[in-house]
Amino acid sequence: MIRCSVRASALISSILVVCAAASLNGMSSLTTRFRGGANGDYSFSLTTFSPDGRLEQLESAMACVDQSPPVVAMKGSDCVVIVAVEPDLGPSVERSGTPKVLTISQGGGETGASCVVVAYSGIGADARALARAAQRRALAYSASLGEPMPPALVAAALADECQEATQEGGMRPYGVALVVAGCSPAEGAHLAQVETSGCWIPVKATAMGLGAGPLAVELAEKWRPGMAAHELEALGRDLLREYALDPGGGGDGAYQDDDRDAPLSSPLDAKPSPGGLGKRRWQASGHFTVAVVRSGSPFPAVSLVPSA
């Protein structure tokens, strides 16, 4: 009886050891899956930092912006000018249902403030959702204080919305970057850039989207304070024509996509090439959207102009 009891006890101990090992192995496999795969790249979770301090979902959202049609925005003497590349959506589509420039609030009235508008680079649907959120805040501000919401506060409100999406469950980061433009008699022209991460900063001239780095370098050299609206428009069109439509003057340019048949909705399939400006999953339509915001104007002057 004693020998049987010892053997049974040993057998039970062996079974427990095997079960414990299997349980640990299963937990390890589960942890690996939640980290995003066998390589443990931490890209599965929105709010989990990798060991080197990165949020890979946020970086993917930023990559979406970096591979989208570029936008250039500049402050002038009494205006803000935005120039954006219009993508070609195919012969059966006249224009995108989401315009490149979205109005947040109307201007005019006793204050003489201009309208406040945003332009985007990235996913149009995300820009539209952010614009709706900003419109609600602008309406609440006007109803409470009886005056239009200043462009700086609109930029801060949009930045709050973007930042909340980087750490809230059941959401993903917005795959879009924005510029906020407006004018007022007291402050003059105002321009701010809102990043996917929720960071925002007042700027004098900026560029977003594919080739933003080289465009920003050219803006730093060629933009100057006090430029008129027609000068800013000409500068923006020239820079986008050079860097977005025919960079380097070499035929199809450095932005030529290696796969023309790729869907327009999959910008993350393309990775920027080392030492180059990257490649795109869209084709330019041959037109620019130009928006001019002036002090006291109730709406922006938006026009679709040929790129040639």
Side-chain angles (χ1 to χ4, degrees):
M1 291 293 294
I2 294 177
R3 289 182 179 179
C4 291
S5 177
V6 170
R7 290 179 179 177
S9 187
L11 180 60
I12 292 173
S13 299
S14 300
I15 293 174
L16 290 176
V17 169
V18 171
C19 291
S23 177
L24 289 174
N25 187 39
M27 287 297 294
S28 176
S29 175
L30 184 63
T31 303
T32 300
R33 289 201 304 273
F34 273 97
R35 286 182 178 178
N39 57 354
D41 58 4
Y42 290 84
S43 63
F44 182 89
S45 171
L46 170 63
T47 57
T48 301
F49 283 94
S50 66
D52 55 352
R54 298 163 53 200
L55 287 174
E56 296 186 12
Q57 285 287 321
L58 182 57
E59 291 181 359
S60 297
M62 292 178 176
C64 179
V65 175
D66 292 340
Q67 295 158 20
S68 298
V71 175
V72 172
M74 301 155 286
K75 288 173 59 173
S77 55
D78 61 346
C79 62
V80 178
V81 176
I82 300 169
V83 186
V85 173
E86 281 288 342
D88 184 4
L89 302 179
S92 62
V93 180
E94 185 174 350
R95 291 190 66 184
S96 170
T98 302
K100 296 293 289 186
V101 179
L102 302 161
T103 302
I104 303 302
S105 62
Q106 298 182 19
E110 298 180 357
T111 63
S114 75
C115 56
V116 178
V117 303
V118 298
Y120 73 91
S121 183
I123 300 175
D126 287 6
R128 192 170 63 247
L130 285 170
R132 282 201 302 267
Q135 289 165 355
R136 289 193 294 267
R137 293 209 188 188
L139 286 172
Y141 184 97
S142 298
S144 299
L145 301 180
E147 61 183 27
M149 191 174 187
L153 294 185
V154 173
L158 286 167
D160 288 343
E161 292 285 337
C162 289
Q163 196 280 329
E164 287 177 7
T166 66
Q167 63 178 32
E168 195 166 307
M171 297 185 68
R172 61 162 174 79
Y174 288 101
V176 68
L178 305 164
V179 288
V180 182
C183 297
S184 68
E187 301 178 2
H190 185 90
L191 180 65
Q193 183 168 345
V194 181
E195 297 291 343
T196 306
S197 62
C199 173
W200 78 277
I201 184 172
V203 293
K204 298 177 181 178
T206 188
M208 309 179 303
L210 188 63
L215 285 168
V217 171
E218 290 292 325
L219 282 173
E221 294 179 356
K222 298 180 179 179
W223 176 89
R224 60 187 185 278
M227 295 179 71
H230 69 277
E231 295 176 307
L232 294 173
E233 178 182 344
L235 175 59
R237 291 173 64 180
D238 288 344
L239 291 180
L240 289 177
R241 189 181 299 114
E242 178 180 359
Y243 285 93
L245 302 186
D246 189 19
D252 290 336
Y255 291 161
Q256 183 60 51
D257 191 359
D258 295 335
D259 183 4
R260 292 294 188 90
D261 297 327
L264 291 171
S265 60
S266 59
L268 296 182
D269 291 342
K271 299 295 182 182
S273 56
L277 298 179
K279 57 182 181 178
R280 66 185 176 196
R281 293 288 177 179
W282 49 271
Q283 297 299 314
S285 65
H287 290 85
F288 295 141
T289 291
V290 178
V292 181
V293 180
R294 297 182 183 274
S295 181
S297 59
F299 295 100
V302 181
S303 57
L304 190 68
V305 299
S307 59

